[in-house]
Every structure is written in structure tokens, then in C-alpha cells.
Amino acid sequence: MPVRRPPRRPAGRRAPRALTAAALCAAFGAGAPAAAGTAPPAGAGPLSAGPAPRTAPPAASPARLVAAADKTVSYRGHTFTVPADWPVVDLTEHPTACVRFDRHAVYLGDPGEQQDCPARVVGRTEALWLRPATATKAAVTENPTAREFRATAPADGIAVTAPYGADRATAQRVLRSAGLPVATARTGPPAATPAAPALPADATAHQGRGFDTCAAPGRSAMDAWKAASPYSAVGVYIGGVNRGCAQPNLTAEWVRTQYTAGWRFLPLYVGPQPVASAGSCADDCAAVTDPAPQGRAAAEDAVAQAGALGLGKGSVLYNDLEQYTPSTALTARVLGYLEAWTTRLHELGYRSGAYGSVSSLVADLVEHAAGTTLPDVIHFAHWNDEATLTDPVLPAALWADHQRVHQYAGDRTETYGGVRISIDRNLLDVGTGA
């Protein structure tokens, strides 16, 4: 049976639930800027947004006339020129707002510990996230696999994240408007060694219930759920060109803290999708067009992201492939992509996982099992509310040795220990693969 997902709301049509009606108009109205003159938090520097003048921007930006369709956004002494219809969200005023990269927006500051995000956001477009950071010089790096610029700016110090979809030029123009050296952006290869000490091999092994959610919850939320919920594994979105939620909580320190507290992990990577409209996409997902190179690049990027979090060799990394309608050509592309992903992960010392619907990816893998390299663990989606590890689509002989995860319910909102989170529910039986 297909996995049933409600249609995703069009980009920019709905603010996070924590915003009031007035804030909704200010933050997500068509082209409405954040309230001018809003006082920033102590030490945060000036914060404003308004229609762009027809004169040159401040000296920090290249001298050019600002188009009438643009506006300027200032943060901690730096001024960015962005499209006029990008809403501006002040995270100091709205700390539970979800920082999302699937719709155009400018986010200012750090969100609170617990963002009010949906269970799943898939897709990526042009956006801007500005937050405080220590910076001694202006620098820009680009991850072309994930379609994301990251930058630091001097003076008061800010960190900039600028994801992009099909319009890379707009992301470059926005960064260039603040004087950031986009032309010399460094594209570095994945790190050869993990950026954090590796956790034990059982970090991605678990037997029991788990949940996944779009943005990793804060520490107090995880503590509350560990004490009161039936879950002991958490799905975290570690990267990918179609990862829609920012991850301010997801650091190596967070992963190690949660591991020590008893949590285990389903690291999910949202790479290119079967088609632009697959599953939770709204016709704006980057798609698989060149299967083998894209599969290898996704695996290399996933390993780099996992290593930076302390998820070392032997960990299972799951490629999230949303629901699609199988066909001869599309099935060949998807399986070619996933085989390249699995092969490259094995070369790098990791185990391959794949997430997909029983009606699309799982059915295709089963039908072509004899002619493709199967992932080591299958994370199959069938929202039948049955917490079991079997399914009519799955032969008993495949993924039979502690190699299954069942996502049996989705888009649920649950509260434990006073903390409310939107989640998908999973049942895991994943071994260490030894």
C-alpha cells in the first residue's frame, strides 16, 4: 500500500504555529518585512528590514543600485540585499519558529531549544539564515552536493547559511551584497577523518521503538522524552540536498550527550529524489538525473556529515527516497543511484540503509533483488499503525538478520514530560552488523 502523506503546504503560506495572526502577517506575508525598529537582543547589534533604497548600499556591500524588487536586511552591522517578497523572521521574538529551507525566508538569530517543526520537511530553495558567531575574517565555503553556502563575516561576527535550489545565482548575489567573497568560495572535499571522536559501533543499532522528526529536539526535550516516552531511538536528518529543516541542535556534542543518555540513532540523508514531486516534495525537490555520480557524491557527503557528528565507520546511514510511481526508466534510475550509494558507503567503511515506501522503493528492490546491490538495512514505510517488522511486500529471506526498521505511523503529534513534538513512529530491529 502507498504511504499516505498529506499534501505539503505551498511555500510561505503558513507560519509556525507559535506565531500570532499579527506575526503571521509580519513574518510570512507576501513581501512584508519584519517590523522596522524592533529592538534586538542585547549584544545582537542592529536588526532591521525594509524596502530597498534607490541609492547604493552601505560601504560593506559592493556599490550598485538596489533593484526595486529587492529590500535590505541588516543584522549585527551587516546589510544584505534580498528579494522583496522574502519574509523576515526574528527568532528572538519567535523562538519556536521552524527554520526551514524549503521556502524563501530570512531568519535572524538562533531559534529556541525547541522549534515547532512538522515531522518531515523535504525540499530546498533559496533562503538566508543569519546568526551570531565569532568571526575574524570574511570567508565563504560551498557544498555543491547539498547546494548550500556557508559564510562568516567580520566586525561584530555572524555566521551565514544560504541554501539554494535551482537558483544558485540568487544565493551568490545575496552574499555578495554584504561584501562576502563569493567569487573565491572554497569547495573542499569531504573530510578524510571524522571531525569528532567516533561513538561506539552500537550508536545506530537498536531493538525497540523510535521516532524521527524534522529538526533534532533540544537537550531538555530529549531528556523529557527519554524519561516519559516509549521511544529510545531518534531519527536525525544529517544532510542532503533535499533536507528541509535547519539543525541548530544537531552537533557532535548533542549526539554524544544523547548517546550517553541511552538514545540510539537513525541518521537520515535526504539526497536527490526519484522525481521532483516525490512523496512529501511539492514539485521542488532536486531529482536523480545522473544516478551513479549522484549516488557516490551523496555517500561521500553523508559520510562527511556523519563523521562530523561522531558517527563513525560501521554506522548505518539511511538514504531517504520519497514515494514515487515505479516505471521501467524511473526504477532503473533509482536503483542505479541507490546501488552507487551503497557501494561507495561500503568503500568508506559505513553500512547502507534505505528509506522508502513499500509501494515504490521497497517493491522495486524486492523485484530486482537478484540484479542489484541491496542496502544493508531497509527502513520501510507503511503507515498501517502496526508496530511490526513484517509486511506482505517483504520476503522473509530479505533483510532477515536484524536489518529492518518499520515506519508504521506518520505526522503524529505527541507530548511527553510536557514537551510536544511532531513525529513519525518507527519500530527498529537493527544490529551492529558484526
Side-chain angles (χ1 to χ4, degrees):
M1 292 178 61
V3 175
R4 300 186 304 277
R5 295 190 187 281
R8 202 174 60 169
R9 297 172 180 87
R13 296 289 179 85
R14 177 180 180 270
R17 286 188 289 274
L19 300 184
T20 62
L24 175 64
C25 295
F28 283 99
T38 301
L47 175 143
S48 64
R54 293 182 180 272
T55 56
S61 302
R64 75 172 185 89
L65 293 180
V66 178
D70 289 343
K71 65 185 176 187
T72 56
V73 176
S74 296
Y75 182 70
R76 295 178 64 92
H78 303 276
T79 301
F80 294 79
T81 302
V82 302
D85 60 353
W86 287 18
V88 179
V89 182
D90 182 350
L91 295 169
T92 302
E93 292 185 357
H94 307 292
T96 62
C98 184
V99 180
R100 295 173 58 163
F101 295 155
D102 66 324
R103 56 191 182 187
H104 300 304
V106 179
Y107 299 94
L108 303 174
D110 285 313
E113 185 186 68
Q114 190 58 33
Q115 299 180 77
D116 187 9
C117 292
R120 178 182 298 260
V121 174
V122 181
R124 180 160 295 195
T125 190
E126 298 71 46
L128 186 67
W129 180 22
L130 309 174
R131 51 181 172 162
T134 301
T136 58
K137 64 179 181 179
V140 182
T141 59
E142 180 182 11
N143 182 339
T145 302
R147 296 187 186 177
E148 184 174 275
F149 287 101
R150 295 201 176 201
T152 54
D156 293 323
I158 59 173
V160 182
T161 303
Y164 58 91
D167 192 359
R168 179 173 178 265
T170 288
Q172 291 176 303
R173 178 173 65 83
V174 168
L175 296 180
R176 193 163 47 242
S177 73
L180 293 169
V182 178
T184 57
R186 178 177 58 82
T187 302
T193 57
L199 291 170
D202 68 342
T204 60
H206 185 65
Q207 285 77 46
R209 299 197 185 214
F211 73 94
D212 61 86
T213 187
C214 188
R219 180 172 179 174
S220 62
M222 294 298 292
D223 288 347
W225 274 48
K226 191 70 179 70
S229 82
Y231 306 113
S232 47
V234 56
V236 289
Y237 289 87
I238 65 171
V241 67
N242 287 307
R243 181 180 72 174
C245 281
Q247 298 288 350
N249 292 323
L250 188 57
T251 64
E253 180 183 4
W254 183 93
V255 171
R256 183 164 290 275
T257 297
Q258 303 315 321
Y259 176 85
T260 302
W263 289 100
R264 296 299 179 260
F265 306 100
L266 286 86
L268 296 155
Y269 185 88
V270 195
Q273 293 301 299
V275 291
S277 59
S280 300
C281 300
D283 288 319
D284 59 0
C285 280
V288 175
T289 55
D290 195 2
Q294 286 177 295
R296 289 194 297 271
E300 290 168 0
D301 186 52
V303 165
Q305 306 307 323
L309 295 172
L311 298 171
K313 292 183 178 182
S315 298
V316 185
L317 307 182
Y318 297 85
N319 199 306
D320 181 328
L321 288 160
E322 297 287 296
Q323 187 179 25
Y324 59 95
T325 301
S327 68
T328 301
L330 181 54
T331 294
R333 282 204 307 273
V334 170
L335 295 186
Y337 166 82
L338 192 56
E339 184 167 44
W341 156 273
T342 297
T343 300
R344 187 61 179 138
L345 282 185
H346 289 171
E347 292 171 353
L348 296 171
Y350 283 74
R351 290 190 290 155
S352 166
Y355 166 89
S357 168
V358 294
S359 66
S360 53
L361 179 66
V362 178
D364 273 345
L365 286 171
V366 170
E367 182 179 352
H368 297 88
T372 190
T373 302
L374 294 175
D376 301 300
V377 181
I378 192 66
H379 183 184
F380 64 97
H382 186 178
W383 292 3
N384 57 6
D385 285 320
E386 297 178 7
T388 64
L389 291 162
T390 59
D391 192 273
V393 173
L394 283 170
L398 289 181
W399 300 291
D401 188 15
H402 304 292
Q403 296 170 280
R404 294 186 179 190
V405 181
H406 179 191
Q407 186 182 86
Y408 61 91
D411 291 335
R412 303 296 177 89
T413 299
E414 300 183 16
T415 302
Y416 297 101
V419 177
R420 176 176 171 271
I421 306 176
S422 296
I423 67 167
D424 297 333
R425 297 172 179 167
N426 302 279
L427 181 66
L428 297 83
D429 181 11
V430 181
T432 59

